[in-house]
Structures are given as structure tokens and as C-alpha cells.
Amino acid sequence: CNGKVFKIVFVLGGPGSGKGTQCANIVRHFGFTHLSAGDLLRAESKSGSETGIMIENMLREGMIVPSEVTVKLLLQAMLESGNDKILIDGFPRNEENRVAFENIAKVEPEFVLFLDCPQDELERRLLNRNQGRDDDNIETIRKRFKVFIESTLPVIEFYTMKGKVRKIDASKSVGEVFEDVKVVFSQFEV
Ligand code: UP5
Ligand code: MG
């Protein structure tokens, strides 16, 4: 990627599993830059451009935005970060995302942090979040779960086969989850 060698960690898990929350802690303790694909897409959706409107409609339906849009935003943010240690939160969400990123960025993740949490707990968290996200209503939340199971779990399975997945029980408290996250990142010397 422009001659720079990035150390990438993908952070995956169902909607509301705590990806954003845990990434904020990882940044503080381990010096990574946190890039949330969803946050980048939400920012882009407000641009008012044609692509922005397309993104807004897809997010409202819990659908996965085409990788050409997401990968471009991620690469731009990676280069702008000035950091070589990057947490990519909520991406790749399907095989198409994964292959596009590998082909364009020409980099594989060091490992994949998988925040595993049962659906009823995720639903409770998202319905309580109250941050005005257009996709935090029960209909879209259910669609997001379905897309996670159908499209994102296969990506996690792919990396499991490669021995790259570090799975954590994300149903515990924020602090307890972070204790387990710390063990994973402490073993990874960069
Ligand atoms: N909370 C967190 N941890 C907790 C804990 N251990 N115990 C109790 N409560 C906990 O947390 C969610 C809520 O739970 C918060 O209120 C938090 O305080 C509490 P958060 O850290 O925000 O969880 P996170 O996993 O980040 O949830 P988020 O809703 O962001 O996950 P999604 O995967 O649904 O959302 P994302 O922003 O990644 O994607 C949104 C949409 O963008 C997708 O549906 C898709 O349409 C689109 N998208 C793409 O198309 N392509 C991409 O590559 C990425 C996104
Ligand atoms: Mg998030």
C-alpha cells in the first residue's frame, strides 16, 4: 500500500458486540489507529453526493455497501493516519470485501479479533444505545443480524481456517472483555 507496511487487525462481531467500545480501549493501551468502516460510511453518506445517498439507503436497510466505496475510504484513512498499526472495525463484512481489500491494499491482517456475543444481548444493547443512528430500530437491527450471520460469519470462518482468529466472549462487562482483549494484544509484539 504505497510502499508503507501496515500492521492490520480486523475487529469483527455482530452489531452491538462492542467493536467501537473495545477499539477505543485498544487505541489507548496499544497505540493503534482505529478506523470504523461504518463511521467512515456514515460520514460519507452526509456528503450529499450520489454515492452518499446510495450509502445512506443501504445503511438504513442494513445492507453491505460495495467494497469499491468502503475500501477507498479505508485506504485513504490509513494513509492519512500516519500510523502503521491500524484497527479496522466492522470490515470485511463479506467475501467480496475481503478479496477486494487483499487485492488492493496487498496486505493480510495480523489477526482477527472476533467479539462473540449472543443475539438477545446484542439486541438489548442496540435498543438502549440512543445515539440517533438510523439503523438502530428493531426492523433494521434484525436485518443487520441476518446479514452478519449470512455474510460475515463466513469471513470469520475463512480466517479461522488460517489460524488467525482470536475469539473473545463479548457478553461480559466492558472491563472484563477488555481484560481478555489485552491478553490477545499483549501476545502480539509490534
Ligand atoms: N456496550 C458495548 N460493550 C458492552 C458490554 N460489554 N456490556 C454492555 N454494554 C456494552 O456498543 C454498542 C452498545 O453496547 C453501546 O451502547 C455500548 O455502550 C454498549 P458498540 O461498541 O457501539 O458496538 P459495535 O459492535 O461497534 O456496534 P455497531 O452498532 O457499531 O455495529 P455494527 O456492526 O452494526 O455497525 P457498523 O457501524 O460497523 O456498520 C453499520 C452499517 O454500515 C452496516 O449495517 C452496513 O450497512 C454498513 N457497513 C458496510 O456496508 N460495510 C462495512 O464495511 C461496514 C459497515
Ligand atoms: Mg461500531
Side-chain angles (χ1 to χ4, degrees), residues 13-104:
S17 55
K19 299 183 292 297
T21 304
Q22 295 299 329
C23 282
N25 287 334
I26 297 164
V27 165
R28 276 197 294 276
H29 280 75
F30 298 98
F32 279 76
T33 290
H34 170 211
L35 301 178
S36 158
D39 286 350
L40 290 169
L41 288 167
R42 278 184 287 279
E44 187 67 17
S45 79
K46 296 199 176 84
S47 69
S49 68
E50 218 167 283
T51 310
I53 293 165
M54 185 262 291
I55 295 171
E56 192 179 2
N57 290 331
M58 293 192 82
L59 264 62
R60 197 180 296 116
E61 292 300 317
M63 289 164 69
I64 299 170
V65 173
S67 60
E68 64 212 53
V69 174
T70 317
V71 171
K72 187 171 146 240
L73 292 170
L74 284 170
L75 286 181
Q76 205 178 324
M78 281 163 60
L79 293 168
E80 280 170 13
S81 73
N83 196 348
D84 59 347
K85 290 159 66 177
I86 310 278
L87 290 172
I88 299 190
D89 157 1
F91 176 97
R93 284 179 120 83
N94 60 14
E95 283 293 299
E96 191 243 354
N97 280 179
R98 180 183 70 72
V99 171
F101 187 83
E102 276 183 16
N103 287 339
I104 297 167

